[in-house]
Amino acid sequence: LALVTFSFKKVWFLVNNYPLYTFGALALWKLAEMIQRKRKHRAKVLELFGIVLQAVYDRLSECEDHEGYAGLLLRDDVGHDMYPTSFRERQFVNDFVWPRVALEILADNRVRKFHRVANGKQLEHWDFAIQSKRGWKLRKSMGTPDSKVKGDVTPIKREP
């Protein structure tokens, strides 16, 4: 209790005698805290961006029919696969990561984009082009660092 009283008296002394410096130091501390929080947020978004984009491309390559995936349904499926029990984390992915993923997909020429009406709603659908699906599956099966199949896999030799 004595330490708390001593600390409070010192803080009160500084605030009374040097109010501009005290509030300046407090504002600087809050600014540094805000910058640090923003950096953490940005790092988390960039980390999840790669994971979500990879999951989206995996889903698009696994889609065998030419119906494609509705963008919103794909977002929900990927979110539920990543975080089946955490609504807060899914909301974070939907609010901050998904807009970046959607821009990346929209800019990708390997993905067909088209609108389709389903249950009275017009949704944007995405579908990998046939060659891109084959190439993605081939890269996944060859044991690339981000593939699901690990081990010593030798690539297939092809004649030109």
Side-chain angles (χ1 to χ4, degrees), residues 48-62 69 74 77-79 81-82 98 101 136 140 148:
L48 287 175
F49 173 74
I51 296 168
V52 172
L53 187 64
Q54 188 78 18
V56 167
Y57 280 135
D58 286 344
R59 286 285 179 117
L60 288 175
S61 70
E62 292 167 0
Y69 262 103
L74 184 60
D77 286 348
V78 169
D81 282 350
M82 288 178 66
W98 187 257
V101 170
W136 189 263
K140 285 299 212 179
K148 296 176 187 169

Side-chain angles (χ1 to χ4, degrees), residues 109-125:
N109 289 334
R110 300 173 299 168
V111 179
R112 291 187 317 124
K113 298 103 180 154
F114 53 95
H115 291 277
R116 178 163 290 151
V117 177
N119 296 331
K121 294 181 184 177
Q122 185 175 4
L123 299 174
E124 183 176 21
H125 282 65

Side-chain angles (χ1 to χ4, degrees), residues 56-103:
V56 167
Y57 280 135
D58 286 344
R59 286 285 179 117
L60 288 175
S61 70
E62 292 167 0
C63 183
E64 291 300 326
D65 58 358
H66 295 290
E67 298 287 319
Y69 262 103
L72 295 178
L73 298 178
L74 184 60
R75 178 196 70 187
D76 294 340
D77 286 348
V78 169
H80 277 283
D81 282 350
M82 288 178 66
Y83 302 107
T85 58
S86 176
F87 174 77
R88 194 174 124 234
E89 292 297 322
R90 278 197 310 266
Q91 193 67 33
F92 180 83
V93 168
N94 291 348
D95 290 343
F96 299 107
V97 179
W98 187 257
R100 290 178 178 224
V101 170
L103 283 176

Side-chain angles (χ1 to χ4, degrees), residues 4 6-7 17 32-33 41 55 65-66 71-72 75 77 88 99 118 122-123 128 137 142 144:
V4 172
F6 176 74
S7 298
N17 292 326
E33 199 176 73
H41 176 81
D65 58 358
H66 295 290
L72 295 178
R75 178 196 70 187
D77 286 348
R88 194 174 124 234
Q122 185 175 4
L123 299 174
F128 244 152
K137 288 178 184 176
M142 286 179 50
T144 56

